[in-house]
Structure formats: C-alpha cells, structure tokens
Amino acid sequence: MFCPECGSTDNEMVGDICIDCFLKEFQMITLPKRIEVQICSHCNSKFDQGKWIDEFMPEEEIIYRALEQNIEIADEVSNELINLEIDQIKGTIASCFVEVVGEVHGAQIEETHETEVKILKTVCPTCSKIQSGYYESVIQFRADNREIKTEEYDKADEIVERTLIKQSKKDKLAYCPQIARLKEGHDYYIGSFKSGKKVAEALTEEFGGVIKESPRLISEDKSTGKGLYRIWISVRIPEFEVDDFVKYEDKIIKITSIGKNSVVGTDISANKKHNIPNKNIDDIQLVKKAEDIETTTIISKSPNIIQILDPSDYSAVDLEMKEEFIDYNIGDEIKLIKIDNYIYLLN
C-alpha cells in the first residue's frame, strides 16, 4: 500500500495514510484556549461540574485542577507524561502551558499547548443566603405560666451560640442572623432547619420541656412548583424549676433535675427518687416554689415524734419522726414546706 498524502510505500500505515503523515496532523491532547473557573469570593468554594464544592484550595491549586479537568487525551496515546506550568498570573487570569510526552503507534512525540485560566469571583448560593439574612427555622423559646429569668435567657443565648459553632463545621447555614427579644420569650432565627433542630434539642437538654414543630408555607419554587416552607420550632420549658415542688400521681415531689428526656425528683413523704418521662410533663402540677421554703425550730423530740413551731402562727406541731431527722436536736433549725395545710420537713 502507498500513502495518498506523500506517496510513501514503506512506512507503517495508520488507516489510509502513513504514520508520518498521520503524526503531522495528530494532536495527543485537546485543550480549550480559555478556561473559566467560578470561585466564591466569601468561602472560596468552587463551582465544579454543575455544583458548588465546599473545599478551600490555594489559587494555584485551583488553576492546576482546572487544567487537569479540561485536558482530553486521544485514544491512540500511551505512556503519556503531562507537565502543567503556570507562566504568569495577572489579576484573575493565569497564562499556562501544558507539555505532553507520549507514544503514538510506537513513535515518541512531544507537544506544548498554551491556554489561560480565568478565575471568576462570584458568590455561591449559600453565601448569598447568609448575606441576605436567610433562615429556614425559628426557635421560639418560651416558658409555661411564668416569665423566663434573665439568667435563663443568658444561658439559652450561650447554648444557641455553642451549638451553632459546633454545627458550622458541617453546615454552612449554622448561623443566627437575628434574635427577636420579645416579652413572652426569645425567637432565634436559624439559617438551616437541620441546625435549628440541633439548637432546640440542646435547649431542652438544659432546660427540659417540650419541642413542637410548625411548618409554614412562605412561597413557591417557580422552577419546580414545590412549596417553600419555614419551620417554627417551639421550645416550651416547664413552669417548675429545680428545687420547686410539684404534684405527680398524688405524690409531692421536690425537683432535683430537669433534662431532655425526663424530670427527676424526690418524693418528700417517702424520700424516694422518681423519674418522670417528659411525655407525661402535662401531668406534673407545680404546687410550691423553692422560695416558699421556710425555716423553723425543733422544740421537742421523741423516738416517734418531732415537734416544731409553725412559722405562720408559732403554734406547736407534732410530726412523725423519720429516719433522716434522727440526728437533729432540740433547738436546731430545720427547713419545711407547707402544702395544702400540711407541713413537710425537709432534710
């Protein structure tokens, strides 16, 4: 066979032409003359293959990766070695060249290609949301039948901040663009619903209470026709606090701790610990606050009776001696709480 391009009859043929003529027109790689890369100017995330990738990379690494992703190697090439070089960077444009050494049908050839990479500084959708004060959930921090104390608000603010700092490692929308400090409680506006739920859980872990979610339709996505919702999350903490006295299943219980899953206290009649699941929190009735505790004096004692002065009228009151009061002596002060006209001594 002979080559129709050069008339050669003794060269290896590649298709209808000889290897020499084939290699004159052959390019081992194809590369655009200009490559554009979108980078978020706020978080440095990169728009790659139709989505934003949240990873921080130095500018030179971004350029090298853009070159790699835009090189197409011909099927005929084997044992290729590719060298990427940045010649110079002016502003947002990097002048680059790509050197290639490889084998094509047994022949080793070299190529050099020039291109430029332009870095387009823009704002990713997430950072755009943050700049606009976007939020997906609102935590409504409230208390049942009482005002929330200043120290409780301070603690809640601290919990919200701490939880969002922890969440921000995996959620860029873990932020609080606004706190509405209302008479009835604080509203914490949280960037993402996911982090909003974490905040609500952290608040109930500290204060106890009940979480309720209420989605509200705010608009419709024009491209998909789907509704866009915000979630209001109510965190309602109990009327009672630690050291308060409640009634539960006909028992008078002094609260010792309030947690995410249960309320723990001590039956002051039987000196027995009780663990009340939060699902039963509506059955717990506040009967006395910790500040209602009074102090009186022991005026007499026997193996079965301990006699005290009623602090309201200073009359003598006989009460059953219990094991926890054996070591008290006449003249000692002792604490009590009066509930439904009955006096309970407190150890």
Side-chain angles (χ1 to χ4, degrees), residues 40 56 58 82 205 218 246 249-250 253 266 278 281 295 334:
C40 178
F56 181 85
I82 299 176
E205 200 163 311
I218 57 168
V246 300
E249 294 181 344
D250 295 326
I253 295 170
T266 301
N278 269 355
I281 201 166
T295 302
I334 192 168

Side-chain angles (χ1 to χ4, degrees), residues 179-194:
I179 302 176
R181 304 182 189 277
L182 310 174
K183 183 178 180 181
E184 61 269 25
H186 285 183
D187 287 353
Y188 298 94
Y189 292 71
I190 308 298
S192 76
F193 172 57
K194 178 173 62 178

Side-chain angles (χ1 to χ4, degrees), residues 129-138 160 164 173-180 187-192 230:
K129 288 178 179 179
I130 293 171
Q131 285 184 311
S132 67
Y134 172 88
Y135 62 93
E136 293 178 356
S137 58
V138 180
V160 171
L164 291 177
L173 288 175
Y175 76 112
C176 182
Q178 179 186 351
I179 302 176
D187 287 353
Y188 298 94
Y189 292 71
I190 308 298
S192 76
R230 284 197 176 118

Side-chain angles (χ1 to χ4, degrees), residues 103-122:
E103 292 182 12
V104 179
H105 294 288
Q108 183 167 304
I109 58 176
E110 298 181 10
E111 286 179 7
T112 299
H113 296 259
E114 294 183 0
T115 186
E116 63 180 28
V117 177
K118 181 173 176 61
I119 294 179
L120 302 174
K121 294 287 187 178
T122 183

Side-chain angles (χ1 to χ4, degrees), residues 137-142 144 193-214 231-238 259-261 278-279 281-282:
S137 58
V138 180
I139 311 298
Q140 296 181 306
F141 184 60
R142 304 289 189 268
D144 273 331
F193 172 57
K194 178 173 62 178
S195 289
K197 288 193 72 170
K198 290 292 184 182
V199 168
E201 290 169 4
L203 287 170
T204 55
E205 200 163 311
E206 172 68 26
F207 297 103
V210 176
I211 297 175
K212 292 184 179 179
E213 296 179 10
S214 175
I231 311 296
W232 266 251
I233 305 175
S234 169
V235 176
R236 187 163 289 277
I237 65 176
K260 177 181 176 181
N261 299 312
N278 269 355
K279 65 180 181 180
I281 201 166
D282 290 339

